[in-house]
Amino acid sequence: MIPKKKKKPEVPGGCKSNSKLATLRHIGKFGIRHLLRQEWKLKEGRKGILCQLQSFCVLLTNMLSEGSSFMKGIALGGTFCLLLTLLGSFTPGMQSSPEDHHHHHHIKAPTKDELQSLSDPQMVEMSQRVRVYCVIMVQPSVLGYWSTAKDTWGKHCDHAVFYSSESAKALEAVDLNEKDEWAKLRKALKHAYDNAGDLRWFFVARPTTFAIIENLKYLVLAKDPNEPFYIGHAMKSGELEYVEYQSGIVLSYEALKRLVNVFKDEEKCPEQGRALWKLSEEKQLALCLKYTGVFAENGEDTQGKGLFNSKSVSSLIQDSMSKKNLDVVEGCCSDLAITFSGMSPNQMQVMMFGVYRLRPYGHNFHDSLIFLPPEGSDND
Amino acid sequence: MKGLSGSRFCFYVGFVVGTLSLYLFLRQVWFERSMELPVLGGIQGSSVAAVAEEKQASDSDNWSVEGAALINLNHPHHTGEDSRVADELYQKVRILCWVMTGPSNLQTKARHVKATWSRHCNVVVFMSSVDDPDFPTVGLGTGEGRDQLYWKTIRAFHYALEHHGNDADWFLKADDDTFVVVDNLRWVLSNHTPEEPLYFGKRFKPYAKQGYMSGGAGYVLSKEALRRFVEGFKTKVCTHTTSVEDLALGQCLEKMGVLAMDSRDTLQRETFHPFVPEHHLTGKFSKSFWYWNYCYYPIVEGPQCCSDLAVSFHYVDAELMYTLEYWTYHLRAYGYRHRYRPPLPQGLVERLAQTERATVGTAGRGTIPAGIIVVGGGNQSKMEAVSYKGAPRGGKIPMDNNRTAVTQESQQ
């Protein structure tokens, strides 16, 4: 094949052998695309992918110089976009080492034996430490959820503070005067850190999430808040592991401290976000934390069931039913679940009844801690 | 590049199209792709599978099928719980549950009842118009439909007394869209004796002097009440008067001297409910709604409508059945000390004191077992945790209900 080459792009040295290039020349255009996709799925280092893509570009231009200009345009446009992305998101300090891939990040709740083996002074100390500052991110458009969160699960936080994008007359909140979600989150977290008092655990959620704070305390009971923890429903996006916002984010004091420090660094943790498009604030958070050496961990119970849910109980039950589980309830959710989401304000009131009140008489759990109900409340 | 403007234009358009499409493609595939950590998926999968297998094996150990009845051999237990009080009540307050259903509802409704709350009854019988040995159901020899309801009820109670009169002390009627917390029903019945002619349920007032119990919310007859009901039909004091089953039954029982009882808890909150929880807890009943005129006791709207120890809900679909089972028997707040902690029923106090370690957690009278640390609830700024390690093993630290175990300083 003797293509009419106007320019002669160079294949970067040491990237591909010529024989492979030759075989690839014979594959059609769609074959190339398919191959490209295959290549992207492989977990190689970024430099390797870059290399291969460049050689594919060479191939494309060679092949298509005979075709119409339109096709040439598409191909070049695509390559251009790809290069920009890679350059935009390529971060020199973030080479993922092979160990990271095998490091499973999950946090399990303590077992009964573990708790019973602790001495009493230790238990006293731990129960005094495990106090939660709730950072609830609201805005006037979700006034219904806002007031419900305040009236339901917010009462079980040791200190619940509502951070709003703008002030609302009906309800009290810290007015951040900010529209951008990521900027709001940054300001709120900074405010929480400055006003933490002696609270050492931080739970960040929107009022559309329902949380059972006692179960959160149980999960982190034996963990030291002076160690960095970033816990929730861990998800993966490409190389990035992050905690899903919708099912609530838990940060220890140390993690928040490191975060507030890295906020000052515009390089690593910019206010405007990076790459061609805006990353969601949950991923921005994960990136900034990753810089400080804090990694997302999945919160699970002693059996390995996830404790943070982005769906409602009904929705999870529906899923369990459609999977035709023998025991629908067992296959649904954990007994000590911490969060659910996707419920209406009325359904949250019903959750309060279901979690804190409805129970079968005569079944007792001799838990190692007892949490008293909050004052001035009648729905729990 | 050829010098023609047409092809150059094509090139630029192609360039833009290529950029945009790849941008969208990348966004879709690369950056927005979220995968669950493979470890999590693995663990969750295997634990669910293991539990499912376990259940299949244990089902045959737990139930014995006698005719069309399912006799419960073992009271369902949860790992890590102390259910001595519930077990005592299970032995002492034996309940036969019969569920009103029909052939067309077996797979859509009755199946879910079988998988959830009916497992907590001592005996459960599914009553249908037609025999079904596989489910199993009893064929009452009636037709199907609203006009057959009282016929079915009459025959079902006759069947229950004849075949299972000695297997139970109390006889519960429920629909296939009723959810019943049987353990709480045992608590309601625990201070009464089945030799008295009594009947419990959601009490309605019209048409009957002492009121009658709503059919949908479920009602329970004592053994003596059941005997009198059957007797009433033998002596023709009671007949099939109307197909409005709950009213007709109430009128028959009134004639036979059976007392309609108050099933509310010690704070006068209803336990049997004719609607779903959401309706009672958050709905506002319009003043013209029939419910206002029917309820024997004053309606309370909001959270105090319903007792913590609720017994039943009605119009419960399959999904809500499992959801309620999850809320009742599974989901809890770790270490949470419930506001409502009624005292043990009379008969149980002595029986439990005789057993070795009489530490009773949430059902106790404000006592806290040794080795427990109490932490103040939310919105408290400071608290002290107090340990009770010094108490003798198995001993109780008596406390009056006014004094809490934790000293708290509230924020100004």
Side-chain angles (χ1 to χ4, degrees), chain A residues 3-62:
Chain A
K4 288 181 218 153
K5 287 186 223 161
K6 291 281 176 186
K7 44 189 191 287
K8 204 167 185 178
E10 287 172 4
V11 176
C15 276
K16 291 193 93 48
S17 67
N18 282 330
S19 56
K20 197 166 181 187
L21 253 178
T23 51
L24 286 167
R25 272 194 193 129
H26 292 288
I27 302 169
K29 179 179 162 207
F30 291 108
I32 291 284
R33 275 252 192 253
H34 175 68
L35 263 169
L36 275 170
R37 282 186 202 132
Q38 299 272 37
E39 293 291 349
W40 289 333
K41 279 180 187 159
L42 289 173
K43 286 220 165 109
E44 292 179 322
R46 281 183 206 265
K47 208 165 185 215
I49 292 178
L50 196 62
C51 231
Q52 295 195 357
L53 281 162
Q54 284 190 351
S55 48
F56 280 126
C57 293
V58 170
L59 208 62
L60 266 174
T61 26
N62 285 345

Side-chain angles (χ1 to χ4, degrees), chain A residues 73 78 104 120 131 215 236-237 277 318 330 334-335 357 359 361 363-364 366-367 370-372 374 380, chain B residues 15 23 31 34-35 39 78 81-82 183-184 306 308 319 326 332 334-335 339-340 362 375 377 381 387:
Chain A
H104 303 309
D120 261 14
R131 299 172 66 221
N215 291 345
K236 216 166 152 84
S237 171
W277 50 78
Q318 247 174 24
E330 216 25 75
S334 173
D335 289 10
R357 296 174 58 201
R359 61 196 185 274
Y361 186 80
H363 298 257
N364 300 310
H366 300 294
D367 295 327
I370 294 180
F371 295 110
L372 296 181
D380 55 14
Chain B
F15 187 85
Y23 166 83
F31 277 98
S34 324
M35 280 162 14
V39 176
H78 224 60
E81 74 173 11
D82 166 16
D183 290 352
N184 290 346
C306 315
D308 287 19
E319 191 188 289
Y326 175 63
R332 66 191 180 93
Y334 183 83
R339 284 185 201 274
Y340 183 60
T362 51
V375 177
S381 63
S387 163

Side-chain angles (χ1 to χ4, degrees), chain A residues 62-318:
Chain A
N62 285 345
M63 278 198 61
L64 298 172
S65 59
E66 283 182 345
S68 67
S69 321
F70 184 69
M71 294 304 191
K72 266 195 266 185
I74 289 185
L76 262 170
T79 329
F80 169 70
C81 179
L82 209 61
L83 283 172
L84 267 179
T85 326
L86 288 166
L87 288 171
S89 63
F90 183 57
T91 49
M94 298 316 300
Q95 303 286 1
S96 54
S97 52
E99 296 93 70
D100 274 0
H101 288 300
H102 301 294
H103 189 62
H104 303 309
H105 298 282
H106 56 215
I107 290 253
K108 282 207 158 141
T111 62
K112 204 155 186 160
D113 300 324
E114 275 168 31
L115 290 178
Q116 275 171 356
S117 71
L118 293 164
S119 72
D120 261 14
Q122 276 180 314
M123 283 301 291
V124 174
E125 201 233 319
M126 278 181 357
S127 65
Q128 283 174 327
R129 261 198 326 212
V130 68
R131 299 172 66 221
V132 178
Y133 184 118
C134 293
V135 174
I136 309 175
M137 307 293 295
V138 296
Q139 59 211 44
S141 61
V142 291
L143 206 62
Y145 283 102
W146 180 345
S147 67
T148 304
K150 189 160 176 205
D151 191 40
T152 58
W153 60 269
K155 287 186 285 198
H156 291 252
C157 302
D158 292 276
H159 192 41
V161 184
F162 294 84
Y163 293 90
S164 178
S165 53
E166 49 185 291
S167 60
K169 283 213 182 85
L171 292 164
E172 216 179 276
V174 172
D175 185 4
L176 300 171
N177 219 350
E178 198 56 74
K179 284 282 189 241
D180 177 55
E181 289 299 322
W182 172 229
K184 262 173 65 178
L185 190 57
R186 286 171 64 115
K187 276 192 177 178
L189 288 172
K190 174 102 183 33
H191 183 275
Y193 177 70
D194 294 335
N195 294 284
D198 58 355
L199 299 174
R200 289 290 170 265
W201 289 97
F202 300 85
F203 175 66
V204 187
R206 293 186 280 234
T208 45
T209 305
F210 183 93
I212 305 169
I213 300 295
E214 287 79 6
N215 291 345
L216 171 55
K217 291 187 180 183
Y218 169 62
L219 175 66
V220 297
L221 194 55
K223 306 277 179 274
D224 182 2
N226 294 319
E227 295 287 316
F229 286 103
Y230 167 44
I231 309 170
H233 180 211
M235 311 265 275
K236 216 166 152 84
S237 171
E239 290 292 325
L240 183 66
E241 277 176 30
Y242 65 97
V243 166
E244 191 183 28
Y245 201 170
Q246 197 52 28
S247 37
I249 304 173
V250 181
L251 291 166
S252 69
Y253 187 74
E254 176 63 25
L256 186 59
K257 186 164 156 191
R258 293 192 191 183
L259 186 65
V260 167
N261 276 333
V262 84
F263 280 160
K264 300 174 192 153
D265 188 338
E266 263 298 306
E267 276 283 306
K268 295 182 175 166
C269 192
E271 248 192 85
Q272 293 313 310
R274 55 180 69 254
L276 279 182
W277 50 78
K278 282 188 72 163
L279 284 179
S280 59
E281 55 276 17
E282 55 195 357
K283 290 175 192 151
Q284 298 273 23
L285 184 68
L287 271 173
C288 291
L289 279 169
K290 209 171 174 185
Y291 266 120
T292 66
V294 183
F295 298 93
E297 297 186 88
N298 197 52
E300 297 164 7
D301 67 7
T302 50
Q303 294 176 306
K305 286 189 198 171
L307 293 170
F308 295 84
N309 301 293
S310 57
K311 291 179 162 186
S312 64
V313 178
S314 326
S315 183
L316 290 163
I317 293 275
Q318 247 174 24

